[in-house]
Every structure is written in structure tokens, then in C-alpha cells.
Amino acid sequence: MAITMRRLEDPAEVLARAGAYLAARPLEATVLASATTRALGEAAPEHPRWWLLLEDDAGPIGVLMRTAPTAPHPVHVTPLPTALARELGAALVSESPPVSEINGDPATIVEVAQGLAGALAAAGTPARVVPGMVMRLFELTTLVRPHGVAGAARLAEGDDVGWCSAWLRVFRAEADLQAGRAPAKPVDRKSTRLNSSHRCISYAVFCLKKK
């Protein structure tokens, strides 16, 4: 069965061709579907914004997107069979700026990263695959609405910094424990601000680093 990789730059065309495929996979494709929908009506940005639609004779079987506005502009991919994931990774070797971070289903992104690393090595630029972050997504089955509480929401102010910082430390520690990660080391406010632009909300990130 022939498989094609169709490169698209119009989010409307992506949804027209793969909208049903994404909608049928709300957990696996939530990040990709949300980002693509958000891009509708937006002007083409200066940073990379494109999608690769993988199709067989029956229709879409996978989607990869590169829409993140911050460097290194990671790609995000839906689950794929091993051989196809490796082929997809190899196809990313000539992208500019170079692809160095991959988000998505853990098993798939390892194979995509290995395919890209292999293509880089063949081109004379050896690279190694390094796991960057692993997170879990949980599907909400039943929503229990909380009871009303006194007061109302307001913007945080300078006097709230201590309380907000304490809450964030507890939240991060509990999130790390739930995800099976080692607790994150405390960082200063400047580092937190710099790192926040690169934090990924997908299942995992694998970085390709030159040897």
C-alpha cells in the first residue's frame, strides 16, 4: 500500500483533509488539533509553520506539525508504526532551522528521532537521541463540579508572590511525583522565566544533540 507525505501550510486545508482523523483521536491528537484550529485565520508567522500529512489509500494515518513559535520550534507527531516513524524522521533531515526536538507519543518519537539521527549521521553530522521530558496525560471521564466558594478571582499582586511561589513549588513536586520523575531542582526567577518559553506540554520531548 502506497504511503504519501503531503506538506501543507494552510491550517484550513489540514483540518479539511485530516479533521475527522484528529477528531477520532481526542487524547492522542489534542495538542495537534488545538494548535491547528488556533492557527485558523492567523497570518502566516515568521517562524516555521507547516504540517506533514501522512496518507495511504484509505486516507490520513498520521500528522506531524511544526508550529511552535519559540526556538528550537519542536515538531509534534501523532502515533505511527515503527517503520513509518523512522522514514518520517529521515525526511526531516533537510529542514531549516534544523529539527532538534520532537514531541508526541513516546514510542513514536523515539523512532522518529532515531530516523532523523540516522539521516544526520549519513550526512556526516552524527547526533544522539536524548530524552528531555516525560509527562502523562489523563482522560477525564466524569467532571465533578466544585461547590461555590466565598470571594472572587483577582489578579495576583506583589504581596502574593510568596504565596504563589509556595503553591508552585508544591504543585511541581506533586506533578513530578505523579509522573514518576525526579523532583525538579529549585531555580531562580530569571531561570524560571527563561525556561518557561521552552516547556513542552506534550507527552515527551527527545532532543537531538550533536556528538
Side-chain angles (χ1 to χ4, degrees):
M1 182 178 295
I3 295 176
T4 61
M5 296 186 188
R6 186 190 304 271
R7 188 184 181 105
L8 302 172
E9 296 186 359
D10 180 1
E13 186 176 0
V14 175
L15 293 175
R17 291 180 174 275
Y21 168 85
L22 297 174
R25 296 159 179 81
L27 184 59
E28 300 170 351
T30 179
V31 174
L32 199 149
S34 298
T36 304
T37 302
R38 188 168 58 247
L40 290 173
E42 294 181 351
E46 295 183 0
H47 63 80
R49 191 184 76 174
W50 49 265
W51 294 258
L52 275 180
L53 179 58
L54 289 78
E55 300 172 299
D56 61 15
D57 296 340
I61 58 174
V63 184
L64 177 143
M65 73 173 181
R66 193 177 197 186
T67 62
T70 54
H73 312 293
V75 299
H76 191 101
V77 62
T78 58
L80 294 170
T82 298
L84 184 56
R86 292 229 174 189
E87 182 180 349
L88 175 60
L92 299 175
V93 70
S94 60
E95 290 298 330
S96 179
V99 173
S100 62
E101 289 189 9
I102 305 167
N103 301 342
D105 171 71
T108 295
I109 63 175
V110 170
E111 299 301 334
V112 173
Q114 292 291 0
L116 177 54
L120 287 170
T125 311
R128 59 192 177 95
V129 179
V130 180
M133 181 186 297
V134 177
M135 302 182 72
R136 296 177 181 173
L137 293 181
F138 293 89
E139 183 178 9
L140 177 65
T141 54
T142 303
L143 175 63
V144 179
R145 295 185 178 277
H147 297 292
V149 296
R154 65 173 175 81
L155 293 175
E157 300 175 348
D159 292 341
D160 301 314
V161 170
W163 184 90
C164 292
S165 298
W167 176 86
L168 180 60
R169 286 194 295 272
V170 172
F171 174 82
R172 292 183 63 184
E174 291 179 349
D176 288 337
L177 179 63
Q178 185 182 63
R181 299 189 298 262
K185 295 180 180 180
V187 293
D188 59 33
R189 293 180 64 191
K190 181 178 181 182
S191 296
T192 301
R193 192 177 304 116
L194 290 173
N195 290 340
S196 65
S197 64
H198 299 286
R199 187 169 299 279
C200 300
I201 59 174
S202 55
Y203 304 110
V205 179
F206 278 74
C207 305
L208 284 167
K209 295 187 178 181
K210 294 181 181 179
K211 293 183 177 178

